[in-house]
Amino acid sequence: MELEFCKILEQLVIDYLEPLKEQYSNYNLNFESLSFPQDDDSYMIEIKGFHKNEYDDTKTTPFVLLRLFVLFECNQIHITNIFIPSFMKHNGIGKKLIQKIFILANVVKYSLFLVDMVPSFYDKMIARGASPCIDCDDAVEITPNTLL
């Protein structure tokens, strides 16, 4: 069940990102997924992106669009990295991706956390209604009250 959930989660992310390749085709946007068990109690999903290098059209610029860990023992998903390139910003892509992950997590009774956050992103998510984690100043829990 746990690995099946991880594969469903990974496919959900891929299905969401796939149309963006066409939308941002002038940037040669592409993605690849890497996923594997970390140990018996966790699973990592990482989505690497590539886009046309702004200085040299013959090269690509890699980036980690999303990295998350599914923690089976505590029924949690931790998003440790979410990065949207500048040419894709201000279109709600990151927020919608978090929302899709939250909806699926909620179905299987998992909690969703954004962790290892930079202060500016932390402050923005708190302003959007995410719940601060006790004794932690760089993580929030996404809840139904979070505006995504």
Side-chain angles (χ1 to χ4, degrees):
M1 164 66 183
E2 292 164 340
L3 292 180
E4 182 181 334
F5 168 67
C6 293
K7 291 299 181 186
I8 291 169
L9 176 59
E10 181 178 14
Q11 192 60 53
L12 172 98
V13 171
I14 291 167
D15 290 347
Y16 171 67
L17 296 174
E18 194 63 32
L20 298 177
K21 289 180 183 179
E22 179 66 31
Q23 185 176 344
Y24 294 99
S25 61
N26 54 324
Y27 292 94
N28 295 335
L29 184 65
N30 206 348
F31 305 103
E32 68 180 35
S33 176
L34 172 69
S35 63
F36 54 87
Q38 293 283 289
D39 51 41
D40 289 342
D41 296 325
S42 66
Y43 194 88
M44 186 196 79
I45 298 172
E46 182 176 271
I47 307 295
K48 290 184 180 180
F50 305 89
H51 62 79
K52 181 171 50 178
N53 184 290
E54 64 182 298
Y55 304 108
D56 185 346
D57 286 352
T58 64
K59 296 182 179 178
T60 59
T61 300
F63 62 98
V64 176
L65 189 138
L66 178 72
R67 183 180 298 126
L68 63 79
F69 296 87
V70 180
L71 307 174
F72 304 128
E73 191 172 303
C74 54
N75 290 4
Q76 294 179 355
I77 298 172
H78 290 189
I79 296 178
T80 60
N81 295 75
I82 187 161
F83 175 81
I84 306 300
S86 60
F87 63 87
M88 296 169 63
K89 288 190 178 192
H90 307 296
N91 292 304
I93 293 168
K95 290 186 284 285
K96 189 176 283 185
L97 181 57
I98 294 169
Q99 181 182 48
K100 288 185 172 295
I101 294 168
F102 173 73
I103 290 168
L104 181 62
N106 211 27
V107 168
V108 295
K109 308 291 189 238
Y110 270 59
S111 299
L112 177 61
F113 294 87
L114 306 181
V115 301
D116 300 330
M117 302 171 73
V118 296
S120 61
F121 189 44
Y122 176 89
D123 292 341
K124 287 178 186 175
M125 293 310 298
I126 293 296
R128 291 183 157 277
S131 295
C133 295
I134 299 170
D135 296 329
C136 185
D137 61 357
D138 67 348
V140 298
E141 181 177 2
I142 302 301
T143 70
N145 297 327
T146 307
L147 300 173
L148 293 171

